[in-house]
Amino acid sequence: MRTTNICFAPHLSVFALTLLIIVSLVGRSTAQQHYLPDHHPHRHYLPTVSEQSSLNPKTNSPPTRPRLVLLIVVDQFRYDYLERFGDLFVAKGLGRLMREGAWWTSAAYDHMPTSTAPGHATLMTGTWPAENGIIGNEWFDRETGSSVTSVSDTAAKLLGGEEGAKAASPRRMLASTLGDELRLATQGRSKVIGISVKDRGAILTAGRGATAAYWFSAKTGQVVSSDYYFNQLPQWVTSFNNTRPADKYFGARWERLLPEAEYTRRAGPDAPSWEKTGTSKDTNTFPHIISGGASAPGPAFYDELPSSPFANDLLISFAEQAIAGELLGQDDDADVLSLSLSANDYVGHRFGPYSQEAMDITLRTDRQIAALLDYVDARVGLRNTVVAFTADHGVAPIPEHAAAVNLPGGRVKTSAMLEAVRARINARYAGGSGELQNGAPSARDYVQSFSNGQIYFNTAALMRDRINREEIERIAGEAAMTTLGIARYFTRTQLEAGRVSTTDPVARRVLHGFHPQRSGDVVIVCEPFKFFGESSATGTTHGSPYSYDTHVPLIIMGSEVKAGRYREAASPADIAPTLAALLRMQPPSNATGRVLLESLNVKSDK
Ligand SMILES: [Zn+2]
Ligand SMILES: [Zn+2]
């Protein structure tokens, strides 16, 4: 169903030829300045047709666009990891990107909730959830009256996993991705592939018209996909699965890469009281033995593997197989490979951003990326590749850790907050009894769901009882504010009418995360260092509009990108528009991000 058949865009090489002719007609002086940098490391100017004909086409080929776009997303990789651990990176991994790429030090997401699906969807659509429709990892679906995930699809079948397992697809995405536009422009010749441990991490960066998305089955230890893309897995994927790729990590011992003192100095002791000790299968101290508590590879082990750096090794080797198996980056129709490494997120949730585990998986990720970049260099050539590196969100310090250093860390009891909301609603609409006077169902029916920090009202019940929406939204919001740890609330009425100031960063992030058909009716924002959860909970999370969740790395490396540290404000939503400019193509449909002009080797027309 995803075969592209609505393509009107000219083939890129036809476009290039047309450009070549125009250039030869109008003379080189202005056109050359506009389209080509004269200090480009690999070429000096676009030759005119007459000049070109006198050149050996093999040694003086005309300028080419990047042949491969490689997007590397590390789930939950905070910006500060580059600064705290960067001097320990190897030369050819993240260090290479920081040295040879353009590196934004203040890149931040401009939406909330800052969770995995909205973050990933932002990257290649170049816009926020209000535009691309991916408002959370999951949300309450009013149509079916149940919770759905960003990629759940009852019509899709899983390929490569266990029988009858739930599959996924990009059908909830409302905007096109960079890959979608590329496939339109090349009549589907460009290949667009997403890879992750998480289905959403693979699917949402690729897009609706992608060639494929692949993710990891924690039940079978295999790489799986969806019949949304094809009826059977490509042979190279089956061959990869036949090697039982997960099993070789069974019983693997996760030890620190460097001496312990280095970790203690930068990340504190190994086992502070606030770390989640987790299951009986593992402790919170090094070494971690990755077996899932089982005596042989099986579901318990496959379920545990994603929480270890070895899952990233598995994904990197799969990404290399994808490059080889799909011949990515081998011709002028640029391909897109997006790789999202998920293990860092699982480790971060459990141990927090100030842990030896977070530090060690960061150092290992750097080395894994070095191996991947070497592979891409050998196979495609880094000069033919544009690499973008970022994260889908950051993470808060573990609340108990924050509290231990006198920051206002804490967990806001969801149940207590909802109880306060229901009590106020009952008091106003049902005389406090919870029963409506006319004998209709309880006013408690009015609150139907709570998802992503948003209260969803039962729209039918409100209409039935002729409840004023604006009033009940305000009553619920004010009731929520009586709970300890709530900072603010925003109502549907307020957001739909645009009655929020976009110069207020929290309000703006709420607005950018709000989609009228999909979002709730009252958005609740916790105070910094606090999030919803019961007091028995451990570990940490992300989702807030605060900098520990929004501030992420943003690096773009490519032959037309000027290396350097950029202090301009930027957002991961700027990646897709910038890549589109580098590829000289149509940006994604709803792109709101800016082209990161300061880094491009293109002179202005002035
Ligand atoms: Zn994530
Ligand atoms: Zn997470």
Side-chain angles (χ1 to χ4, degrees), residues 113 115-118 134-139 148-151 198 200 452 542:
S115 42
T116 296
I134 304 302
I135 60 159
N137 287 345
E138 54 269 320
W139 59 85
V148 295
T149 85
S150 61
V151 292
K198 301 179 180 178
R200 54 188 180 272
N452 297 312
H542 43 83

mmCIF file of all heavy atoms in Angstrom, residues 113 115-118 134-139 148-151 198 200 452 542:
data_model
loop_
_atom_site.group_PDB
_atom_site.id
_atom_site.type_symbol
_atom_site.label_atom_id
_atom_site.label_comp_id
_atom_site.label_asym_id
_atom_site.label_seq_id
_atom_site.Cartn_x
_atom_site.Cartn_y
_atom_site.Cartn_z
ATOM 1 N N PRO A 113 4.428 16.518 25.761
ATOM 2 C CA PRO A 113 5.401 15.771 26.552
ATOM 3 C C PRO A 113 6.664 15.428 25.755
ATOM 4 O O PRO A 113 6.582 15.109 24.570
ATOM 5 C CB PRO A 113 4.640 14.490 26.910
ATOM 6 C CG PRO A 113 3.643 14.312 25.823
ATOM 7 C CD PRO A 113 3.242 15.702 25.418
ATOM 8 N N SER A 115 8.551 12.898 25.197
ATOM 9 C CA SER A 115 8.707 11.441 25.266
ATOM 10 C C SER A 115 9.157 10.901 23.911
ATOM 11 O O SER A 115 9.325 11.657 22.954
ATOM 12 C CB SER A 115 7.431 10.779 25.778
ATOM 13 O OG SER A 115 6.292 11.347 25.204
ATOM 14 N N THR A 116 9.346 9.587 23.860
ATOM 15 C CA THR A 116 10.022 8.962 22.719
ATOM 16 C C THR A 116 9.311 9.172 21.382
ATOM 17 O O THR A 116 9.929 9.569 20.397
ATOM 18 C CB THR A 116 10.196 7.457 22.999
ATOM 19 O OG1 THR A 116 11.056 7.340 24.136
ATOM 20 C CG2 THR A 116 10.821 6.730 21.828
ATOM 21 N N ALA A 117 8.014 8.894 21.351
ATOM 22 C CA ALA A 117 7.315 8.983 20.063
ATOM 23 C C ALA A 117 7.263 10.422 19.536
ATOM 24 O O ALA A 117 7.614 10.664 18.371
ATOM 25 C CB ALA A 117 5.919 8.374 20.176
ATOM 26 N N PRO A 118 6.857 11.401 20.358
ATOM 27 C CA PRO A 118 6.871 12.779 19.857
ATOM 28 C C PRO A 118 8.269 13.234 19.426
ATOM 29 O O PRO A 118 8.418 13.919 18.413
ATOM 30 C CB PRO A 118 6.368 13.606 21.040
ATOM 31 C CG PRO A 118 5.592 12.655 21.873
ATOM 32 C CD PRO A 118 6.272 11.329 21.712
ATOM 33 N N ILE A 134 1.710 13.164 16.545
ATOM 34 C CA ILE A 134 2.224 12.162 17.485
ATOM 35 C C ILE A 134 2.385 12.830 18.851
ATOM 36 O O ILE A 134 3.444 13.361 19.196
ATOM 37 C CB ILE A 134 3.542 11.550 16.965
ATOM 38 C CG1 ILE A 134 3.329 10.955 15.557
ATOM 39 C CG2 ILE A 134 4.051 10.480 17.926
ATOM 40 C CD1 ILE A 134 2.254 9.870 15.459
ATOM 41 N N ILE A 135 1.308 12.820 19.630
ATOM 42 C CA ILE A 135 1.266 13.612 20.864
ATOM 43 C C ILE A 135 1.821 12.884 22.083
ATOM 44 O O ILE A 135 1.952 13.481 23.144
ATOM 45 C CB ILE A 135 -0.173 14.085 21.185
ATOM 46 C CG1 ILE A 135 -1.097 12.863 21.375
ATOM 47 C CG2 ILE A 135 -0.706 15.026 20.114
ATOM 48 C CD1 ILE A 135 -2.351 13.169 22.159
ATOM 49 N N GLY A 136 2.127 11.593 21.942
ATOM 50 C CA GLY A 136 2.662 10.861 23.089
ATOM 51 C C GLY A 136 3.065 9.460 22.651
ATOM 52 O O GLY A 136 2.860 9.091 21.489
ATOM 53 N N ASN A 137 3.662 8.709 23.564
ATOM 54 C CA ASN A 137 3.926 7.293 23.266
ATOM 55 C C ASN A 137 2.602 6.562 23.120
ATOM 56 O O ASN A 137 2.454 5.657 22.311
ATOM 57 C CB ASN A 137 4.736 6.641 24.385
ATOM 58 C CG ASN A 137 6.184 7.093 24.379
ATOM 59 O OD1 ASN A 137 6.665 7.661 23.396
ATOM 60 N ND2 ASN A 137 6.872 6.860 25.480
ATOM 61 N N GLU A 138 1.667 6.947 23.982
ATOM 62 C CA GLU A 138 0.311 6.443 23.842
ATOM 63 C C GLU A 138 -0.627 7.545 24.306
ATOM 64 O O GLU A 138 -0.208 8.500 24.958
ATOM 65 C CB GLU A 138 0.076 5.142 24.616
ATOM 66 C CG GLU A 138 0.408 5.147 26.085
ATOM 67 C CD GLU A 138 1.850 4.718 26.368
ATOM 68 O OE1 GLU A 138 2.354 3.789 25.732
ATOM 69 O OE2 GLU A 138 2.452 5.358 27.258
ATOM 70 N N TRP A 139 -1.853 7.434 23.948
ATOM 71 C CA TRP A 139 -2.839 8.415 24.393
ATOM 72 C C TRP A 139 -4.206 7.777 24.381
ATOM 73 O O TRP A 139 -4.406 6.688 23.818
ATOM 74 C CB TRP A 139 -2.805 9.684 23.541
ATOM 75 C CG TRP A 139 -3.071 9.515 22.077
ATOM 76 C CD1 TRP A 139 -4.285 9.469 21.458
ATOM 77 C CD2 TRP A 139 -2.099 9.398 21.017
ATOM 78 N NE1 TRP A 139 -4.134 9.333 20.107
ATOM 79 C CE2 TRP A 139 -2.798 9.283 19.801
ATOM 80 C CE3 TRP A 139 -0.687 9.382 20.986
ATOM 81 C CZ2 TRP A 139 -2.156 9.155 18.567
ATOM 82 C CZ3 TRP A 139 -0.055 9.252 19.753
ATOM 83 C CH2 TRP A 139 -0.780 9.144 18.570
ATOM 84 N N VAL A 148 -4.357 3.978 22.880
ATOM 85 C CA VAL A 148 -3.644 3.498 21.694
ATOM 86 C C VAL A 148 -2.197 3.952 21.810
ATOM 87 O O VAL A 148 -1.893 4.889 22.544
ATOM 88 C CB VAL A 148 -4.255 4.067 20.391
ATOM 89 C CG1 VAL A 148 -5.679 3.558 20.195
ATOM 90 C CG2 VAL A 148 -4.225 5.596 20.378
ATOM 91 N N THR A 149 -1.299 3.266 21.100
ATOM 92 C CA THR A 149 0.073 3.773 21.061
ATOM 93 C C THR A 149 0.252 4.557 19.772
ATOM 94 O O THR A 149 -0.571 4.496 18.860
ATOM 95 C CB THR A 149 1.144 2.648 21.135
ATOM 96 O OG1 THR A 149 1.369 2.145 19.812
ATOM 97 C CG2 THR A 149 0.736 1.541 22.085
ATOM 98 N N SER A 150 1.359 5.258 19.712
ATOM 99 C CA SER A 150 1.631 6.119 18.551
ATOM 100 C C SER A 150 1.707 5.314 17.264
ATOM 101 O O SER A 150 1.512 5.860 16.186
ATOM 102 C CB SER A 150 2.941 6.867 18.765
ATOM 103 O OG SER A 150 4.014 5.935 18.896
ATOM 104 N N VAL A 151 1.985 4.010 17.374
ATOM 105 C CA VAL A 151 2.168 3.185 16.172
ATOM 106 C C VAL A 151 1.296 1.934 16.169
ATOM 107 O O VAL A 151 1.406 1.106 15.262
ATOM 108 C CB VAL A 151 3.658 2.773 15.987
ATOM 109 C CG1 VAL A 151 4.520 3.989 15.648
ATOM 110 C CG2 VAL A 151 4.197 2.068 17.228
ATOM 111 N N LYS A 198 12.863 -0.141 19.664
ATOM 112 C CA LYS A 198 11.446 0.193 19.864
ATOM 113 C C LYS A 198 10.743 0.364 18.523
ATOM 114 O O LYS A 198 11.279 1.031 17.627
ATOM 115 C CB LYS A 198 11.325 1.518 20.626
ATOM 116 C CG LYS A 198 11.987 1.514 21.998
ATOM 117 C CD LYS A 198 11.822 2.876 22.658
ATOM 118 C CE LYS A 198 12.470 2.900 24.036
ATOM 119 N NZ LYS A 198 12.380 4.224 24.683
ATOM 120 N N ARG A 200 8.254 2.325 17.805
ATOM 121 C CA ARG A 200 8.052 3.752 17.528
ATOM 122 C C ARG A 200 9.345 4.450 17.104
ATOM 123 O O ARG A 200 9.326 5.361 16.278
ATOM 124 C CB ARG A 200 7.426 4.456 18.725
ATOM 125 C CG ARG A 200 8.158 4.281 20.051
ATOM 126 C CD ARG A 200 7.346 4.870 21.203
ATOM 127 N NE ARG A 200 7.980 4.736 22.501
ATOM 128 C CZ ARG A 200 7.836 3.683 23.304
ATOM 129 N NH1 ARG A 200 7.084 2.672 22.928
ATOM 130 N NH2 ARG A 200 8.445 3.641 24.479
ATOM 131 N N ASN A 452 -0.607 11.112 29.588
ATOM 132 C CA ASN A 452 0.405 12.135 29.283
ATOM 133 C C ASN A 452 0.207 13.413 30.100
ATOM 134 O O ASN A 452 0.444 14.515 29.605
ATOM 135 C CB ASN A 452 0.378 12.492 27.785
ATOM 136 C CG ASN A 452 0.723 11.315 26.915
ATOM 137 O OD1 ASN A 452 1.699 10.622 27.162
ATOM 138 N ND2 ASN A 452 -0.099 11.054 25.906
ATOM 139 N N HIS A 542 11.105 11.223 31.883
ATOM 140 C CA HIS A 542 11.162 12.459 31.108
ATOM 141 C C HIS A 542 9.741 12.779 30.679
ATOM 142 O O HIS A 542 8.838 12.000 30.924
ATOM 143 C CB HIS A 542 12.078 12.270 29.899
ATOM 144 C CG HIS A 542 11.864 10.958 29.210
ATOM 145 N ND1 HIS A 542 10.871 10.760 28.286
ATOM 146 C CD2 HIS A 542 12.473 9.747 29.374
ATOM 147 C CE1 HIS A 542 10.888 9.500 27.881
ATOM 148 N NE2 HIS A 542 11.844 8.852 28.531
#
